[in-house]
Amino acid sequence: MFLTPVVPHWPFYNLDTMFVRGLKRKCFDGEEDIEGTLAGIKAIPSYNLQRQSLLDMSLVKLQLCHMLVEPNLCRSVLIANTVRQIQEEMTQDGTWQMIHTQSTGQASLDRLVSTDILCRSSREQAEGKHVSGYSAFNKDFEGDQAQDSSETMSTASSVQAPRNLQSNVWEMENPQENKGNFQKSLDQIFETLENKSPNSVEDLFSEVDNSYYDLDTMLTGMMSNTKMGHCDGLETFSSPTATASNSNFKSDLNELDHIVEILVES
Amino acid sequence: MEGESIYEVDSGDGLGADIISTVEFNHTGELLATGDKGGRVVIFQREPESKNEPYNQGEYNVYSTFQSHEPEFDYLKSLEIEEKINKIKWLPQQNAAHSLLSTNDKTIKLWKITERDKRPEGYNLKDEEGKLKDLSTVTSLQVPVLKPMDLMVEVTPRRIFANGHTYHVNSISVNSDCETYMSADDLRINLWHLAITDRSFNIVDIKPANMEDLTEVITASEFHPHHCNLFVYSSSKGSLRLCDMRASALCDKHSKLYEEPEDPSNRSFFSEIISSVSDVKFSHSGRYMLTRDYLTVKVWDLNMETKPVETYQVHDYLRSKLCSLYENDCIFDKFECAWNGSDSVIMTGAYNNFFRMFDRNTKRDVTLEASRESSKPRAILKPRRVCVGGKRRKDDISVDSLDFTKKILHTAWHPTENIIAIAATNNLYIFQDKVNSEMH
């Protein structure tokens, strides 16, 4: 077996150092236990990967709003500005332009953590070009950065004690919980999504009133119909338009996807 | 600083204590009001100093408790309106009664607090219980007299200022004219007259025509302590705007804009978020403003718009943890700041129940902890230290051991003395500096 997923942390632990520009990139140091064939591999998550994950996180935050009470407008605006900043930088980098030439590929499991699935229908409404962008960006990224990713993904937090899906995913949005531990909420949300089998991914998505995703609606907390509870939010994400079947998942596997598949099925 | 008293704000409904959401001394420091997440206000009163027991001087005890706001439901938006008290501001005392303004996200209320310690006895027509007497039993007339009774504190709502805000009210500030006050939400600031509830004037409106263009919100605002025409408001982009109400009815154009240029070497995706000002306070002198953003407190001279005159690092060791703090939402925590009575020391809260004080003159700073262990009555607070790797002294706390659920967002300083009130989740700590009790 290539991978011994025993490291109970997320490789983006060094996300913090990556995002303070001007600091030298630090090696992935031996603070964390790295076992097996991974011992000695000093993988530095690439800047693009880090930036992408920050973008993903931000979009998840925007979606995961308390809808029983009006969301905090200041927080929403700050997150939206962060998203814009990242997008602007991606445009300047030229990584954004590559996007338009790519087609929307099938969703592979690692895209569960990408903005693609989480906001496909919403972005289709608001900013059409971004939709294909995210999925294609990841696709492109996989090709170029596979080496990087495989190293980092292989140290991903993966196999942990199974936890309740609903409470996990939504712990992040509740500002009262999960404050003590830096990585726990990010761990949980990604790991939980990874642990789900492909079939249940589709179960997570169902039809929703798309007007919810209008930025104005989101920022002002206006909702036409649904009032969601904490744990119902996942069900409101609409299904991706190009959802692949299981067979497609496996047929396109490169090393990275193979690893992810192992994580999912374990 | 000595530990003085700890109060746990108890909801009294069996559900346990509630989280304190605001703390405010009145203008003499005799009263201290706290608001909590359950919409209740608890007022503490300082016991008068007694020569017989000098050590018991100045203790704060519960004076009154009342339910200020109740949860509401906005039927139009299908959303709940929290009853959490966001801010309390005392009115200057003008007669025997005390008055304060308390606000939740939408509605501001004016409460009048009165004492009753005497009651009339000896009515001719009514008996002790108020029932009409049988006139045939009345044989002589007496003059009713006032007899002392147990002190009763009555709190009545005198005004309710409702429907003034579409967005969440984050600040209220009473004008030095004692007739008007302002309330600020994320996008607008309204001016009210204390006696008029059905009308308010909008003096600042930063709502864009298209909400998709919204990039900046109002985070805090305050009237100048002496000039009734001046007020300041802070934004999520880290800027302060001083406005003069004499200039025009709508103060969208600032008179002065206070903004520090960004440090390019520290630039990151989180730069804007950590520059967002969470609190702004004028100094007692009116010459300076104190602002709090995520990592620093800054003192601004009203006469200098280009940069603050002083910057103090509150917890710079968090700078390398910003992504994690963004992930767990801590980066959006809104800390308050406070001046002491003479404007020589500033104070603000941090994590792990730590709070920090900076002496502007000596440039020394101290980190203290508000916890039950360190706060036995008359126990002296020990300075704490956060170590960032490298040499670690005994009793140091490492950055990774900090408890980010224990945050001190709300602090208040007595207007004249060295007494501070610290709200740590659902506990209220009051500390007093016995050595230098009086500051001029």
Side-chain angles (χ1 to χ4, degrees):
Chain A
M1 184 68 75
F2 168 83
L3 167 70
T4 321
V6 293
V7 183
H9 73 275
W10 182 249
F12 300 150
Y13 182 80
N14 277 335
L15 205 68
D16 290 318
T17 58
M18 299 309 297
F19 279 107
V20 182
R21 293 202 215 168
L23 281 191
K24 281 190 163 180
R25 288 184 172 191
K26 292 184 192 166
C27 272
F28 205 63
D29 63 353
E31 247 186 302
E32 298 82 17
D33 275 333
I34 304 178
E35 293 185 21
T37 58
L38 308 174
I41 294 178
K42 307 277 189 204
I44 304 164
S46 77
Y47 178 76
N48 282 348
L49 178 60
Q50 302 296 328
R51 183 176 61 185
Q52 180 65 38
S53 107
L54 181 65
L55 181 62
D56 300 343
M57 198 199 308
S58 304
L59 286 160
V60 167
K61 276 182 181 299
L62 281 178
Q63 305 282 7
L64 298 180
C65 293
H66 288 275
M67 290 315 285
L68 282 176
V69 182
E70 246 174 311
N72 184 331
L73 186 64
C74 182
R75 177 180 172 273
S76 303
V77 166
L78 288 173
I79 298 173
N81 288 352
T82 308
V83 167
R84 265 190 214 103
Q85 259 186 71
I86 298 174
Q87 289 172 353
E88 270 167 27
E89 195 185 272
M90 283 163 114
T91 310
Q92 284 165 11
D93 277 359
T95 42
W96 203 254
Q97 282 156 15
M98 288 193 282
I99 284 157
H100 296 284
T101 62
Q102 305 273 352
S103 62
T104 22
Q106 313 89 322
S108 71
L109 279 167
D110 66 293
R111 292 218 185 92
L112 285 176
V113 307
S114 86
T115 55
D116 179 34
I117 289 185
L118 291 173
C119 66
R120 190 187 290 250
S121 66
S122 71
R123 292 303 169 188
E124 256 176 339
Q125 310 293 325
E127 297 155 310
K129 61 176 178 173
H130 290 182
V131 174
S132 52
Y134 290 160
S135 64
F137 175 75
N138 279 328
K139 203 174 162 70
D140 164 73
F141 165 77
E142 273 166 49
D144 295 348
Q145 315 274 356
Q147 189 57 33
D148 238 355
S149 322
S150 61
E151 287 169 352
T152 58
M153 285 300 284
S154 56
T155 58
S157 70
S158 50
V159 183
Q160 299 196 20
R163 299 183 213 169
N164 180 286
L165 164 68
Q166 287 184 325
S167 64
N168 275 355
V169 172
W170 295 98
E171 264 172 324
M172 195 170 102
E173 56 136 344
N174 186 332
Q176 308 298 334
E177 302 170 30
N178 268 347
K179 286 300 163 64
N181 191 326
F182 283 119
Q183 295 303 319
K184 209 162 85 172
S185 50
L186 186 57
D187 275 345
Q188 286 166 354
I189 195 173
F190 288 116
E191 161 232 320
T192 308
L193 290 171
E194 287 170 340
N195 279 342
K196 297 292 283 188
S197 67
N199 274 332
S200 49
V201 163
E202 281 135 45
D203 293 338
L204 294 176
F205 306 109
S206 54
E207 285 307 303
V208 73
D209 176 11
N210 288 335
S211 68
Y212 169 68
Y213 295 101
D214 180 77
L215 191 66
D216 185 9
T217 309
M218 207 150 47
L219 287 179
T220 57
M222 300 280 294
M223 287 182 54
S224 44
N225 313 318
T226 331
K227 194 173 75 153
M228 296 185 292
H230 290 223
C231 301
D232 296 336
L234 266 184
E235 286 140 26
T236 67
F237 292 123
S238 64
S239 44
T241 51
T243 308
S245 64
N246 288 0
S247 57
N248 281 343
F249 286 171
K250 291 181 184 157
S251 65
D252 280 344
L253 282 178
N254 58 13
E255 203 172 271
L256 176 61
D257 289 337
H258 181 62
I259 293 165
V260 175
E261 184 200 6
I262 292 165
L263 298 176
V264 165
E265 290 176 5
S266 58
Chain B
M1 279 265 164
E2 278 186 16
E4 185 67 32
S5 351
I6 305 168
Y7 301 98
E8 188 158 329
V9 179
D10 198 325
S11 57
D13 56 4
L15 296 178
D18 218 339
I19 297 171
I20 301 172
S21 50
T22 187
V23 186
E24 187 82 7
F25 281 99
N26 76 337
H27 294 272
T28 60
E30 183 210 349
L31 298 175
L32 174 67
T34 64
D36 69 24
K37 201 157 157 269
R40 274 164 317 123
V41 172
V42 180
I43 302 177
F44 299 84
Q45 184 187 43
R46 193 177 186 197
E47 295 306 318
E49 297 185 10
S50 145
K51 291 195 176 69
N52 298 333
E53 295 176 41
Y55 288 115
N56 272 350
Q57 69 185 357
E59 255 191 32
Y60 283 84
N61 295 318
V62 177
Y63 177 67
S64 173
T65 302
F66 61 96
Q67 186 75 31
S68 169
H69 287 71
E70 299 275 0
E72 283 174 49
F73 196 76
D74 181 339
Y75 293 98
L76 199 61
K77 295 184 187 177
S78 282
L79 291 170
E80 283 178 16
I81 300 172
E82 282 187 316
E83 66 275 29
K84 173 168 71 89
I85 308 294
N86 292 336
K87 280 284 167 5
I88 290 174
K89 284 282 147 76
W90 291 91
L91 268 55
Q93 192 177 9
Q94 287 170 332
N95 49 40
H98 292 99
S99 300
L100 60 79
L101 288 169
S102 68
T103 185
N104 68 347
D105 282 338
K106 298 284 185 184
T107 305
I108 306 121
K109 296 187 183 180
L110 174 66
W111 294 90
K112 189 161 145 186
I113 300 130
T114 48
E115 285 185 6
R116 191 194 291 267
D117 61 355
K118 296 181 187 50
R119 64 171 182 180
E121 276 179 24
Y123 282 108
N124 293 291
L125 300 176
K126 289 188 287 187
D127 66 16
E128 291 303 311
E129 284 135 40
K131 287 195 302 206
L132 288 174
K133 282 184 187 171
D134 182 358
L135 288 179
S136 59
T137 63
V138 177
T139 53
S140 63
L141 289 177
Q142 58 184 348
V143 178
V145 290
L146 289 174
K147 293 258 174 80
M149 60 178 259
D150 287 340
L151 179 66
M152 210 167 71
V153 179
E154 296 175 334
V155 182
T156 47
R158 298 307 301 261
R159 307 265 190 274
I160 297 182
F161 304 90
N163 304 317
H165 290 278
T166 309
Y167 302 97
H168 290 179
V169 175
N170 53 54
S171 332
I172 48 176
S173 177
V174 183
N175 203 345
S176 51
D177 65 10
C178 302
E179 284 187 356
T180 57
Y181 76 94
M182 70 163 160
S183 56
D185 66 30
D186 295 313
L187 299 178
R188 300 189 177 103
I189 302 181
N190 292 338
L191 182 71
W192 304 81
H193 192 285
L194 283 164
I196 300 170
T197 59
D198 62 355
R199 205 176 344 153
S200 86
F201 295 95
N202 176 240
I203 52 177
V204 173
D205 188 338
I206 64 168
K207 183 177 182 211
N210 183 0
M211 278 295 275
E212 294 261 347
D213 298 333
L214 180 64
T215 57
E216 193 173 9
V217 300
I218 298 169
T219 51
S221 72
E222 197 182 44
F223 267 120
H224 192 279
H226 309 310
H227 303 299
C228 58
N229 55 299
L230 290 180
F231 66 93
V232 69
Y233 70 91
S234 60
S235 83
S236 56
K237 287 199 170 167
S239 63
L240 301 170
R241 286 171 172 80
L242 187 72
C243 301
D244 189 335
M245 292 197 291
R246 297 171 302 187
S248 69
L250 190 61
C251 300
D252 277 357
K253 288 205 182 74
H254 51 263
S255 295
K256 284 183 190 264
L257 172 65
Y258 301 83
E259 210 168 21
E260 185 174 25
E262 203 177 5
D263 177 6
S265 65
N266 265 341
R267 177 111 181 73
S268 75
F269 286 121
F270 307 108
S271 295
E272 184 186 313
I273 300 179
I274 62 169
S275 74
S276 172
V277 174
S278 53
D279 193 18
V280 63
K281 293 263 168 51
F282 278 104
S283 64
H284 291 90
S285 62
R287 167 97 191 268
Y288 298 100
M289 295 182 293
L290 180 66
T291 59
R292 174 72 155 98
D293 51 62
Y294 192 63
L295 297 178
T296 69
V297 280
K298 294 178 176 156
V299 177
W300 300 78
D301 186 324
L302 250 62
N303 300 315
M304 186 156 83
E305 298 161 75
T306 51
K307 60 181 166 92
V309 289
E310 292 156 35
T311 301
Y312 301 95
Q313 302 294 333
V314 180
H315 38 204
D316 201 54
Y317 45 78
L318 296 184
R319 197 177 284 275
S320 57
K321 309 273 182 203
L322 290 179
C323 191
S324 311
L325 295 164
Y326 176 74
E327 180 220 327
N328 64 16
D329 265 13
C330 281
I331 208 174
F332 301 109
D333 286 335
K334 292 193 189 308
F335 293 93
E336 291 171 12
C337 52
W339 297 90
N340 75 336
S342 61
D343 298 335
S344 60
V345 183
I346 54 190
M347 167 174 71
T348 189
Y351 293 107
N352 211 75
N353 276 357
F354 287 166
F355 58 99
R356 303 262 283 137
M357 288 201 234
F358 304 90
D359 189 316
R360 298 178 60 212
N361 299 324
T362 65
K363 300 298 181 203
R364 288 171 56 190
D365 61 84
V366 68
T367 304
L368 300 171
E369 182 179 2
S371 73
R372 286 193 174 270
E373 293 78 43
S374 65
S375 303
K376 310 271 187 315
R378 287 175 283 286
I380 307 231
L381 285 181
K382 200 179 57 169
R384 305 307 308 268
R385 208 176 88 107
V386 178
C387 72
V388 200
K391 288 195 100 169
R392 193 189 151 167
R393 292 188 221 151
K394 180 186 156 241
D395 287 347
D396 276 6
I397 307 241
S398 82
V399 183
D400 295 314
S401 320
L402 292 174
D403 188 344
F404 288 80
T405 62
K406 294 189 185 161
K407 49 193 92 177
I408 293 186
L409 303 173
H410 312 288
T411 57
W413 205 309
H414 188 286
T416 50
E417 297 186 33
N418 268 359
I419 304 171
I420 57 177
I422 309 280
T425 318
N426 51 9
N427 290 320
L428 177 72
Y429 294 83
I430 300 178
F431 299 113
Q432 199 162 21
D433 187 358
K434 293 289 194 199
V435 178
N436 299 316
S437 278
E438 297 288 335
M439 290 201 70
H440 39 84

